[in-house]
Amino acid sequence: MWYPIWDANVKLGHAVRTVKEALRLADGDLDTATSLLTIRHLGGDRSLTEELSAKAVAQWRKRSAKWLAQVVARVDQRHAEAGEVAFLLEPNLKDGRGGLRDVHALNWAMAADLVMFPGDAELIGDAYDVLLAARVELHRGTGRTAMCSRSTSNMPWPARLPIATPTR
């Protein structure tokens, strides 16, 4: 299953663990805890994936105060280092304020059952789709996993993004 992915030079993290082992690791590691919130079934016994997903979300909610404090600290650090996505000529689409990681952080907050207003999840999803499409086109245009668009690149990729063209 992994060979076609590796042959395509796609960077992909993976591990083989029992549900109990995965939850124990996620209990003390923010990156593991957040990654378990978005696990996907690829093959094998689907009930194991469903069990891990349900237990990981329950564990996240139980420890949400601890985890969200760490998420906020990381968000503040990223913003200080990467700047604003909306106002930079060469924004960091992954780590900048308003970037992909901010959408992830909002999703982690929603998984902790924090209150969101009606329609917020859809708006966040739409923004994520645009950011992800921009990142994918940036990767295609540069031939590498770049996170920042360079003003000198002259790539036609912005025309392929799923955003509306302003009318006058």
Side-chain angles (χ1 to χ4, degrees), residues 9-124:
N9 291 321
V10 174
K11 183 180 175 186
L12 180 68
H14 69 284
V16 179
R17 294 188 177 86
T18 66
V19 171
K20 190 175 185 177
E21 289 169 337
L23 291 171
R24 189 173 353 143
L25 184 60
D27 189 46
D29 181 65
L30 177 63
D31 293 332
T32 304
T34 56
S35 68
L36 290 182
L37 296 175
T38 57
I39 61 171
R40 292 172 295 285
H41 180 76
L42 298 177
D45 186 351
R46 182 175 295 278
S47 68
L48 288 173
T49 306
E50 292 167 356
E51 177 187 359
L52 178 58
S53 179
K55 288 182 176 182
V57 170
Q59 182 171 291
W60 176 260
R61 287 181 180 153
K62 184 178 177 183
R63 293 168 176 76
S64 63
K66 166 188 157 183
W67 289 133
L68 291 177
Q70 290 183 35
V71 168
V72 168
R74 285 192 184 182
V75 166
D76 290 343
Q77 180 182 0
R78 276 190 304 95
H79 290 171
E81 293 170 3
E84 299 265 351
V85 168
F87 303 112
L88 293 175
L89 184 59
E90 298 178 348
N92 184 316
L93 298 175
K94 181 177 178 182
D95 293 327
R97 182 184 301 269
L100 291 165
R101 286 290 181 242
D102 283 352
V103 177
H104 295 158
L106 288 169
N107 286 330
W108 301 332
M110 286 191 290
D113 273 345
L114 296 184
V115 176
M116 299 293 280
F117 292 108
D120 280 354
E122 292 80 15
L123 291 172
I124 291 168

Side-chain angles (χ1 to χ4, degrees), residues 144-165:
R144 58 188 179 87
T145 57
M147 293 303 150
C148 295
S149 171
R150 300 291 177 220
S151 59
T152 58
S153 66
N154 295 322
M155 291 186 299
W157 62 269
R160 296 191 295 264
L161 296 181
I163 54 177
T165 303

